[in-house]
Amino acid sequence: MSDSPAAEIVELVGGPGNIESLTHCATRLRFQLRDGDLVDKSAVEAVPGVMGAVPQAGDRFQVVIGGGVQTVYNDIMALPTMKGDAEGDVDDTAAIKARERAKGPRGKVAWLDSLFEFLSDSFRPILGALLGASLFITFMALMATLGVIPSWNAPGVVLEPSWAFINLMWQCVFVFLPLMVAYNASQKIGADPWVGFAIMAVVMLPGFLALGQDATAQQIVFLGSEITTVPVFGIPLTIFDYNSQVFPPLLMAAVLGPLWKGLKKIIPDNLHLIFVPFLAMLVMIPLTAFLIGPIGVYAGAGLANLLSSINTFSPLIFAIVIPLAYPFMVPLGLHWPVNAIMLLNIQTLGYDFIQGPMGAWNFACFGATAAVLVLAWRERDQVMKQTATGALAAGLLGGISEPSLYGIHLRFKRIYPRMLVGCFVGGLIIGIGGGVRTEAFVFTSLLTIPAFQPLALYGIAVAAAFITSMTLVMISGYKPKEPPEAQAAQAAAAPAGAAPVGPVLIDPGNAPEVAKALEVMSPMDGTVVALSQVPDPVFAGGTMGPGVAIEPTGDTVYAPAEGVVAVAQTTGHAFGLVLDGGIELLIHVGIDTVNLKGEGFDVKVSNGQRIEIGTPLVTFDRSVIEKAGYPLITPVIVLNADQFETVDPLALGPTTAGAPLLVVEIKANATT
């Protein structure tokens, strides 16, 4: 058996096929499994190098490794059965997304990355509702095409109550879409989402539109458009119908977030519940109604008009560029703003011209997936059959491309060039035909084809995209002709010049001369408590080693002694230090704070850096951690306690940074 426990751990958690995703924090492997019942916990704990195992709800499973967790993680990911490029056994979607986004501006420009995360998190939670509504829309369009009902969305058409009720089933989503976006965007930006919801709701009240019927209302021309204004306390208020608008709630939330955080800083904590929401609404409701809302309407209209001008200038070029651009836009997250413009087109123009060409990309993507499914059946590749079947179902029935994209296409690089040919063919047919329109926002799937006009042109285009892509992938195959063994070996190896990721031991013969007992100072202000009070069985049970925990009262962690930073997690939640004298110390800021992915943490040191007592390691935003629901209690653990005689806390209770915390007694026969 290899010195690394990687292969044995994978086997004991149910094998590669049972691993949905794998991440790690400072000390543990964090598995998301497909079936947690397949794990043999006692056998995992018996593996050399494993310090403990912790089953969790939701088929999650943690394996405690200690300071060498990065090495074991790398060993696992380097296993042939775990290599996505070889067999696609592990759905490490987050890693693929991060890799692809790193190729573009995201990941390199912090503010741009934050912008697109804001956009995606504002829309992602409501995709299910949008998908459901799009199928109701498609059903209504099909009934109108078959002559069962009149044109369901034409001006002046009145449907009988039965069909009118069905029509309400999709309108409920799109009419109130600004409220849904306001809630999600406000939550993403760190404000109370219900306050954001309430602010946006003001301009959607029937009474708001009724103001435009007042005798004092005026019709004026602004930027070439006729708008209605009404004086409110002498200030002209622009009256818009905000139904289905998405840019106003996004801009509102972007302003609400900084205001909310500022109010929390200047208002005493015991008054937050009352005055922070009140003052936020007092400022934001008029600001949204008078300024932000109109700006959002005009900004969105400007973007929509720009794309409309391009489409008017050359429908052929537009229809080709859109499907060729989408395969690169989706991995970078750049498609979210375009979705907003589609919605705006329908609101302002009554139709959208982007979704048709986009359908060529989607069906080319699904055609490539269908080819992979056929090839997997031929090769009797059970794992890939399951992956491709699920991805193809999500695509053809739901119009969702991400399972195909992240599950298959970005893993096997031979697919993309063939898929792009399918995109081109589908877009070319749409362009030659003069373009395709839809009068509703729908997901481009088999079920929504009737929502597009001309129906025959759209059907031919997406069929051609699907067949072209499928045929080319079937002919060429999707796997590399020669397994990239050299690349696999390189990926398994540590980068040249990289700092060590596991515990770094100091040769006692070269260590500074020390006394028979060493002291570790407190890394922060707070209250020292026993490890047993930590709400985590790994720390509380002493699995990682002896030490204490601190309930912090400040927001900064300092170096507790002279030494070297062995591991500074980029997320800021944990630090591994090698102190002069050989003590390997773990400082873990909060419990499960790794899930914040660095939000609220400002790391001050790097791997391999020399530190002195009092060197700041990290500052953290208590409000971010507390709002996320994670305990702030911070374990301070001696990882290599077996190399010493004893590790004892000096006292429990209040402490300050730099005060004595632990005493570590050196073994009598130790070399100093």
Side-chain angles (χ1 to χ4, degrees):
M1 184 178 66
S2 169
D3 291 339
S4 173
E8 195 170 356
I9 291 173
V10 169
E11 189 63 31
L12 292 174
V13 298
N18 195 38
I19 301 173
E20 186 170 306
S21 64
L22 171 62
T23 59
H24 72 87
C25 60
T27 59
R28 315 177 200 187
L29 298 169
R30 294 170 175 259
F31 290 92
Q32 177 63 56
L33 304 174
R34 293 185 170 89
D35 185 356
D37 293 336
L38 297 180
V39 178
D40 188 339
K41 177 177 179 293
S42 59
V44 172
E45 292 180 323
V47 174
V50 173
M51 303 174 68
V54 185
Q56 295 184 309
D59 291 322
R60 291 176 291 128
F61 190 76
Q62 296 184 2
V63 179
V64 185
I65 301 295
V69 65
Q70 176 75 60
T71 301
V72 177
Y73 172 83
N74 289 342
D75 290 343
I76 289 177
M77 299 310 295
L79 293 172
T81 55
M82 298 289 288
K83 296 299 289 181
D85 285 341
E87 297 294 339
D89 290 325
V90 180
D91 182 17
D92 195 4
T93 298
I96 292 178
K97 288 183 178 180
R99 182 191 72 199
E100 293 302 315
R101 288 176 179 175
K103 297 177 180 178
R106 297 192 61 182
K108 298 178 181 178
V109 182
W111 69 265
L112 195 61
D113 191 63
S114 298
L115 171 63
F116 285 105
E117 285 299 323
F118 171 66
L119 290 172
S120 65
D121 286 349
S122 297
F123 284 99
R124 188 182 296 113
I126 58 177
L127 286 183
L130 290 171
L131 176 58
S134 74
L135 295 182
F136 284 116
I137 291 171
T138 303
F139 175 71
M140 295 295 290
L142 180 61
M143 293 298 100
T145 301
L146 297 176
V148 177
I149 59 174
S151 183
W152 55 281
N153 59 345
V157 171
V158 177
L159 299 173
E160 63 177 74
S162 298
W163 290 103
F165 179 77
I166 296 177
N167 218 28
L168 295 176
M169 292 182 181
W170 69 263
Q171 290 181 4
C172 65
V173 175
F174 289 98
V175 169
F176 297 110
L177 185 62
L179 300 179
M180 301 179 188
V181 173
Y183 181 95
N184 293 330
S186 300
Q187 186 174 52
K188 175 63 179 178
I189 214 72
D192 186 329
W194 288 112
V195 171
F197 182 100
I199 293 168
M200 197 64 213
V202 171
V203 297
M204 297 191 66
L205 289 170
F208 181 82
L209 281 177
L211 293 175
Q213 306 301 318
D214 189 83
T216 60
Q218 297 181 350
Q219 301 293 319
I220 66 172
V221 177
F222 181 74
L223 296 179
S225 300
E226 188 175 273
I227 61 173
T228 301
T229 65
V230 62
V232 175
F233 297 109
I235 303 173
L237 173 66
T238 305
I239 305 299
F240 284 113
D241 181 356
Y242 285 95
N243 290 349
S244 302
Q245 292 280 349
V246 293
F247 285 96
L250 290 171
L251 291 178
M252 178 277 297
V255 177
L256 174 62
L259 173 65
W260 188 271
K261 294 175 183 177
L263 291 173
K264 290 185 70 174
K265 289 182 179 179
I266 63 177
I267 296 175
D269 291 353
N270 58 341
L271 298 177
H272 277 183
L273 182 62
I274 301 173
F275 288 103
V276 172
F278 166 69
L279 292 175
M281 294 173 72
L282 180 64
V283 172
M284 290 301 303
I285 289 175
L287 191 62
T288 300
F290 283 91
L291 186 62
I292 294 176
I295 288 176
V297 171
Y298 286 117
L303 290 172
N305 288 337
L306 176 62
L307 288 179
S308 179
S309 299
I310 297 172
N311 183 54
T312 301
F313 173 74
S314 177
L316 177 61
I317 294 176
F318 188 86
I320 292 174
V321 168
I322 288 295
L324 286 177
Y326 252 81
F328 304 99
M329 292 169 62
V330 174
L332 296 174
L334 301 178
H335 60 304
W336 294 106
V338 181
N339 289 342
I341 293 174
M342 294 175 188
L343 290 163
L344 190 62
N345 283 338
I346 294 166
Q347 171 73 2
T348 56
L349 303 177
Y351 64 88
D352 174 61
F353 50 85
I354 304 174
Q355 294 174 73
M358 188 189 75
W361 131 251
N362 264 4
F363 277 88
C365 174
F366 307 150
T369 303
V372 171
L373 177 59
V374 173
L375 294 173
W377 273 95
R378 289 180 180 175
E379 299 166 2
R380 299 181 180 179
D381 185 338
Q382 187 64 31
V383 173
M384 184 50 67
K385 281 195 294 184
Q386 294 175 353
T387 300
T389 299
L392 189 59
L396 293 180
L397 300 180
I400 307 298
S401 61
E402 279 81 353
S404 291
L405 192 66
Y406 295 119
I408 303 172
H409 302 344
L410 289 171
R411 299 180 187 277
F412 302 98
K413 303 306 181 183
R414 295 176 62 83
I415 293 177
Y416 246 64
R418 285 96 183 150
M419 183 173 66
L420 288 174
V421 177
C423 293
F424 175 81
V425 170
L428 180 64
I429 292 173
I430 290 175
I432 292 174
V436 170
R437 295 182 177 184
T438 178
E439 297 176 345
F441 181 86
V442 296
F443 287 68
T444 48
S445 68
L446 279 176
L447 301 179
T448 59
I449 288 177
F452 292 88
Q453 297 297 329
L455 179 59
L457 174 63
Y458 179 73
I460 293 171
V462 296
F466 184 95
I467 294 170
T468 300
S469 182
M470 180 177 179
T471 302
L472 292 177
V473 174
M474 286 278 294
I475 293 172
S476 68
Y478 66 96
K479 293 182 179 180
K481 293 300 183 182
E482 296 182 3
E485 298 167 352
Q487 294 180 8
Q490 183 180 4
V501 294
V504 180
L505 301 180
I506 295 178
D507 183 355
N510 295 327
E513 190 170 325
V514 294
K516 290 300 181 182
L518 304 174
E519 280 191 346
V520 176
M521 304 305 173
S522 175
M524 57 173 54
D525 300 334
T527 301
V528 182
V529 298
L531 276 182
S532 59
Q533 295 190 32
V534 178
D536 183 293
V538 174
F539 290 120
T543 302
M544 298 299 303
V548 293
I550 302 175
E551 290 278 9
T553 55
D555 62 358
T556 304
V557 180
Y558 302 94
E562 292 83 2
V564 175
V565 177
V567 179
Q569 293 287 333
T570 56
T571 54
H573 78 286
F575 295 85
L577 310 177
V578 178
L579 307 181
D580 292 351
I583 297 174
E584 298 171 18
L585 196 73
L586 170 68
I587 303 174
H588 198 286
V589 186
I591 303 302
D592 287 331
T593 45
V594 64
N595 298 328
L596 291 173
K597 300 179 180 178
E599 182 181 0
F601 290 87
D602 183 10
V603 179
K604 306 293 187 182
V605 294
S606 57
N607 291 347
Q609 179 177 330
R610 178 75 185 175
I611 51 175
E612 306 296 330
I613 293 180
T615 300
L617 303 179
V618 66
T619 58
F620 53 89
D621 188 332
R622 299 175 62 92
S623 63
V624 171
I625 299 173
E626 290 168 348
K627 183 175 181 179
Y630 299 123
L632 271 165
I633 190 168
T634 300
V636 181
I637 306 292
V638 176
L639 296 173
N640 60 335
D642 57 343
Q643 298 180 22
F644 298 92
E645 193 70 42
T646 59
V647 176
D648 298 309
L650 286 170
L652 303 180
T655 187
T656 58
L661 182 71
L662 298 171
V663 60
V664 181
E665 185 178 347
I666 298 174
K667 290 182 178 180
N669 60 352
T671 303
T672 61

